[in-house]
Amino acid sequence: MATTNVTMRMDVSLKNQLQELVSDLGLDMTTFFTMAAKQAVREQAIPFKAALNTPNQDTIEAMAEVEYMRQHPNAGKTYNSFSELLSDLDGEDDD
């Protein structure tokens, strides 16, 4: 199969971050872009996803909160019904 060169421009920081990510996934940049192109053509869409499943900051904080509440069972609010929870939320101040 004949190949061709493709030249593209992108922010240096983005390139470095992408290069690190694909390397962590065991790929190089050429393989990554070839995979993305083949899947896009096959799917006629941009459905490509390869992830390290690294949680974002909000998720990390939520997981820490759950762990804290496991260790301190009386630390959080409890409700006897869903409507009780909704009533409490309606009463909160919106900062």
Side-chain angles (χ1 to χ4, degrees), residues 46-89:
I46 309 294
F48 188 84
K49 180 175 181 180
L52 294 174
N53 295 322
T54 303
N56 64 22
Q57 189 59 38
D58 288 340
T59 303
I60 291 169
E61 290 171 10
M63 292 177 354
E65 182 179 3
V66 167
E67 185 57 34
Y68 179 83
M69 291 174 74
R70 282 187 196 160
Q71 295 174 7
H72 304 88
N74 297 321
K77 290 183 181 180
T78 59
Y79 301 95
N80 294 315
S81 69
F82 184 66
S83 57
E84 187 180 332
L85 172 116
L86 290 177
S87 292
D88 188 36
L89 289 173

